[in-house]
Amino acid sequence: MIVFEEEYEQDVLMDFLINERINEDKSLAETYLQLHGGNNRIEEDILNALVSSYTSLFKIKAIIEDDKTVILEDLLKETERINLIDISLSKTATPEMLLFIRIVPFEHFNMTSGISFTFPAGRTEYLLRYFRRIMRRLKFQREEIARF
């Protein structure tokens, strides 16, 4: 039996179990894709995107409300800025806000898996220092698991 303090914690656990490679270096999404494939092109695209998904800490650089797009900077990896399609986030987020989210990349757009941890703007250096300190202590073979 698992007891959660908050209802959203169940969603966080499900995201972790479905998307992280914890069983024989395969995620549940990857295992399902290999065993069953997709029933159609859309399902196959979704499964492939979940297999390619990753978590990181992002800073919101800009919000384009007309396109429902949030422009993100990945603070843990040096990558190009990410255009994220998110209707709700594009209405409620503010520039410089920090997000720990899972990016689910499709061919022409990116979305999140649905879970997010938000942090106020101005906490970047504190969070990065804390992250590095915790990462040194954790002894996981896969950095992705420790990051989550």
Side-chain angles (χ1 to χ4, degrees):
M1 176 188 287
I2 299 174
V3 178
F4 298 102
E5 289 184 26
E6 301 290 335
E7 190 173 331
Y8 79 90
E9 292 172 336
Q10 184 175 348
D11 298 334
V12 172
L13 177 61
M14 289 299 109
D15 183 279
F16 180 82
L17 293 174
I18 290 169
N19 298 300
E20 291 300 332
R21 292 181 172 102
I22 54 177
N23 187 17
E24 298 177 10
D25 268 352
K26 291 182 184 176
S27 67
L28 287 178
E30 189 172 4
T31 301
Y32 183 88
L33 179 63
Q34 289 175 348
L35 292 176
H36 306 289
N39 290 326
N40 54 53
R41 180 71 181 155
I42 294 172
E43 188 175 304
E44 189 175 306
D45 287 349
I46 291 169
L47 288 167
N48 281 317
L50 288 173
V51 169
S52 300
S53 70
Y54 64 96
T55 59
S56 195
L57 180 64
F58 298 92
K59 181 185 283 189
I60 296 177
K61 299 308 286 182
I63 300 167
I64 307 168
E65 289 185 44
D66 293 342
D67 293 339
K68 312 297 187 243
T69 302
V70 179
I71 311 300
L72 302 174
E73 174 186 1
D74 191 329
L75 298 176
L76 302 180
K77 295 190 277 185
E78 288 188 28
T79 60
E80 293 181 21
R81 290 192 174 171
I82 295 165
N83 295 344
L84 175 70
I85 302 291
D86 194 305
I87 295 169
S88 180
L89 192 59
S90 69
K91 293 178 183 178
T92 59
T94 57
E96 302 299 308
M97 191 170 135
L98 304 172
L99 304 167
F100 182 86
I101 56 176
R102 177 178 303 282
I103 296 290
V104 182
F106 287 84
E107 185 175 356
H108 298 293
F109 66 94
N110 298 296
M111 58 184 270
T112 71
S113 63
I115 62 125
S116 66
F117 300 97
T118 59
F119 305 94
R123 300 297 288 176
T124 303
E125 292 307 316
Y126 169 79
L127 286 173
L128 290 175
R129 265 194 323 272
Y130 187 74
F131 170 77
R132 288 183 196 109
R133 188 171 64 222
I134 294 296
M135 289 296 283
R136 282 192 298 269
R137 291 182 190 167
L138 295 176
K139 304 295 183 211
F140 290 99
Q141 290 180 332
R142 299 187 57 83
E143 179 184 336
E144 295 85 1
I145 292 174
R147 185 183 322 133
F148 196 93

